[in-house]
Amino acid sequence: MTSNFPLRGLSETDRYLLQRAAAQAGMSQNQYALTRLRAALDADLPGARHAYEHRDEFAERAMRRLGIDPESPEFAKNQVEARAVLARADQLRRGNTA
């Protein structure tokens, strides 16, 4: 099976091994690479996937604990500000200036 997965920097040997491993697992190269990548990310960042996937629920619970109604304008304002802070933090991690 050929791969559409946009991996740059793979050597001919890497490509061959990816092809073999995917075939052995009965998956496309894309499925195999994504499965292995996700497993590596989950091992490197335990709990991060769950936290990210449920971030809105966590934020709502935290705001309720602080006595802020999720339907209030204050909640909406805090949500916009928090997303802006996270976006700036992501830019800084990429080497950009805020």
Side-chain angles (χ1 to χ4, degrees):
M1 292 180 213
T2 61
S3 174
N4 293 325
F5 199 74
L7 293 175
R8 290 176 179 37
L10 291 181
S11 69
E12 183 179 334
T13 302
D14 294 334
R15 290 184 190 285
Y16 172 76
L17 293 173
L18 175 59
Q19 182 180 12
R20 289 280 314 267
Q24 187 174 348
M27 305 170 138
S28 72
Q29 291 177 40
N30 288 356
Q31 288 172 317
Y32 182 83
L34 286 172
T35 299
R36 297 299 299 237
L37 174 63
R38 287 180 180 133
L41 290 170
D42 290 343
D44 289 348
L45 302 166
R49 181 179 304 278
H50 178 74
Y52 184 79
E53 289 173 345
H54 299 300
R55 64 194 177 280
D56 291 337
E57 296 166 36
F58 294 148
E60 185 175 323
R61 281 188 286 193
M63 297 296 268
R64 283 189 190 279
R65 278 190 221 125
L66 294 171
I68 300 170
D69 178 8
E71 303 299 320
S72 72
E74 184 180 4
F75 179 85
K77 178 183 171 236
N78 287 335
Q79 191 174 39
V80 167
E81 289 174 4
R83 286 188 175 141
V85 167
L86 291 174
R88 283 194 302 273
D90 283 342
Q91 286 180 340
L92 290 173
R93 275 193 295 250
R94 290 187 199 118
N96 298 329
T97 57

